[in-house]
């Protein structure tokens, strides 16, 4: 049977709490999902600090979900971040046996235009997240300063147009147990501007060589009968899929603003149906080119192979979950642990950034309110309250999506 259509169920929408965005997910060997949370304290009660990125464990189904911080994960505490130092934001995460791997994206330091992505750092744990290492095996994890960032320490750095800075792993079951060919598949974007950011690129690597950049093989086009061509040369890369043009901001909403991560893919293998599913979204820009001026674009696709071709089964050019016309839904992710046993439905999660334009407009007022804090802890509490006031949907939202088969 083929998947013909995807139908989000508005009556199923749930607000699962937390504070932050991102929500890339994998399933660890112990059966719990691991979720990435960026720019927030997550589910910490009360919020003790804001993290640029943090990993959380999620146990149970959406109706009973319980969240617990992964304590062994290295701190990316924004309050302790040195002035002017590079930022690191968590993206693709995958569990393979007892190992957990994660790519963290890095930015340039532009102020006169939207900041752009420059590379990806790779870290890993060999003991289900208790201890963490840099790509070269050293520990503790370090956050390289500007002069330390290089292709010698990162698998991707200053690649053409910033490609492969924002990365997502193909998820294939608990601890990658549903994989059958021995490869890890990783998806990225071909740059940071419209015309490139909407191009999906990818590479694959043997499971036991993920830390070895020389083992990466880049998708270089489709061969006969849907086969894929792979190359060791990144210059041979070809888009595996093209998302629609026109869904990426091109100017700053406020000084130091960064280019929004449009088209962040989420790709998960649906084992009961034997099909690969992909979700992605583009950001609706205002007429002046700033982000979230209108609702986002949501697309869902399926394929028989990790490298496509991808067939669209759902398109929404004004993605307003629950018919909330003010919604500014962002970065949809397919939860790999929340696929129905028969494969005929799954849960999509996202953050809603409605209110970010007002937040940017009132930057001076926000700064004045934050300045009242007497210490870092109080500052975190005030910031969390401000974010919840301006952006009440800046948390984990979830919705069941049903698949129509024939």
């Amino acid at each position: 049977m083929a998947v013909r259509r995807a139908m989000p169920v508005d009556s199923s929408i749930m607000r699962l709490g937390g504070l932050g965005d991102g929500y890339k997910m994998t399933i660890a060997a112990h059966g719990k999902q691991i979720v990435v949370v960026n720019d927030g304290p997550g589910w910490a009660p009360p919020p003790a600090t804001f993290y640029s990125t943090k990993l959380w464990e999620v146990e149970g189904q959406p109706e009973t979900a319980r969240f617990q911080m992964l304590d062994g994960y290295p701190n990316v505490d924004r309050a302790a971040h040195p002035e002017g130092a590079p930022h690191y934001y968590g993206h693709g995460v995958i569990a393979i046996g007892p190992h957990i791997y994660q790519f963290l994206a890095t930015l340039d330091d532009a102020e006169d235009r939207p900041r752009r992505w420059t590379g990806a750092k790779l870290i890993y744990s060999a003991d289900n997240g208790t201890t963490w290492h840099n790509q070269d095996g050293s520990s503790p994890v370090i956050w390289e300063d500007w002069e330390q960032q290089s292709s010698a320490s990162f698998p991707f750095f200053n690649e053409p147009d910033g490609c492969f800075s924002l990365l997502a792993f193909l998820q294939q079951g608990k601890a990658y147990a549903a994989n059958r060919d021995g490869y890890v598949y990783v998806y990225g974007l071909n740059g940071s501007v419209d015309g490139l950011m909407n191009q999906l690129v990818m590479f694959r690597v043997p499971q036991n060589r993920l830390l070895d950049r020389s083992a990466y093989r880049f998708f270089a086009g489709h061969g006969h009968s849907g086969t894929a061509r792979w190359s060791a040369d990144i210059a041979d890369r070809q888009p595996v899929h093209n998302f629609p043009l026109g869904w990426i901001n091109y100017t700053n909403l406020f000084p130091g603003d960064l280019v929004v991560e449009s088209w962040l893919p989420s790709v998960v293998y649906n084992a009961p149906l034997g099909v690969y599913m992909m979700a992605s979204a583009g950001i609706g820009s205002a007429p002046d080119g700033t982000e979230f001026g209108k609702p986002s674009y949501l697309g869902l696709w399926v394929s028989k192979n990790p490298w496509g071709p991808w067939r669209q089964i759902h398109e929404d050019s004004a993605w307003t979950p629950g018919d909330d016309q003010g919604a500014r839904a962002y970065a949809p992710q397919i939860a790999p642990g929340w696929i129905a046993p028969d494969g005929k439905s799954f849960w999509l999660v996202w953050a809603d950034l409605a209110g970010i334009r007002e937040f940017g407009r009132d930057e001076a007022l926000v700064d004045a309110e934050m300045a009242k804090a007497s210490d870092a802890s109080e500052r975190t509490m005030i910031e969390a309250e401000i974010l919840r006031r301006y952006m009440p949907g800046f948390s984990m939202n979830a919705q069941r999506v049903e698949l129509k088969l024939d």
Side-chain angles (χ1 to χ4, degrees), residues 287-337:
D288 64 358
T290 55
E291 66 264 34
F292 296 109
K294 63 180 181 180
S296 304
Y297 174 108
L298 171 67
L300 299 170
W301 295 263
V302 293
S303 175
K304 294 180 179 179
N305 305 297
W307 51 86
W310 293 94
R311 176 171 54 84
Q312 191 159 17
I313 58 171
H314 181 76
E315 179 184 45
D316 191 343
S317 59
W319 180 25
T320 53
D323 199 30
D324 176 4
Q325 298 303 305
R328 297 296 182 263
Y330 167 66
Q333 301 292 306
I334 300 171

Side-chain angles (χ1 to χ4, degrees), residues 363-373 382 385-386 389-390:
E363 184 178 18
L365 295 175
V366 170
D367 288 346
E369 194 167 345
M370 298 276 286
K372 298 175 183 177
I382 292 174
E385 191 279 326
I386 292 172
R389 187 170 74 236
Y390 276 92

Side-chain angles (χ1 to χ4, degrees), residues 246-300:
W247 294 91
I248 297 168
N249 67 301
Y250 57 84
T251 191
N252 298 51
L253 182 59
F254 43 84
D257 192 19
L258 55 89
V259 64
V260 171
E261 306 98 305
S262 272
W263 301 121
L264 298 179
S266 171
V267 188
V268 175
Y269 181 58
N270 184 326
L273 300 183
V275 67
Y276 297 89
M277 307 186 300
M278 177 168 65
S280 197
I283 303 305
S285 295
D288 64 358
T290 55
E291 66 264 34
F292 296 109
K294 63 180 181 180
S296 304
Y297 174 108
L298 171 67
L300 299 170

Side-chain angles (χ1 to χ4, degrees), residues 1-7 273 302 304 311 313 344 402-406:
M1 292 189 295
V3 179
R4 290 302 174 197
R5 193 157 55 102
M7 299 170 290
L273 300 183
V302 293
K304 294 180 179 179
R311 176 171 54 84
I313 58 171
K344 295 181 181 179
E402 295 181 349
L403 298 175
K404 176 70 173 178
L405 312 180
D406 64 11

Side-chain angles (χ1 to χ4, degrees), residues 141-174:
V141 167
I142 62 171
W143 306 113
E144 288 87 349
D145 210 337
W146 296 109
E147 68 276 5
Q148 297 172 304
Q149 294 182 346
S150 73
S151 55
S153 54
F154 296 171
F156 296 101
F157 185 70
N158 280 349
E159 307 295 346
D161 299 305
C163 67
F164 291 103
S165 296
L166 299 165
L167 297 171
F169 288 99
L170 166 63
Q171 303 297 325
Q172 296 195 73
K174 183 173 71 174

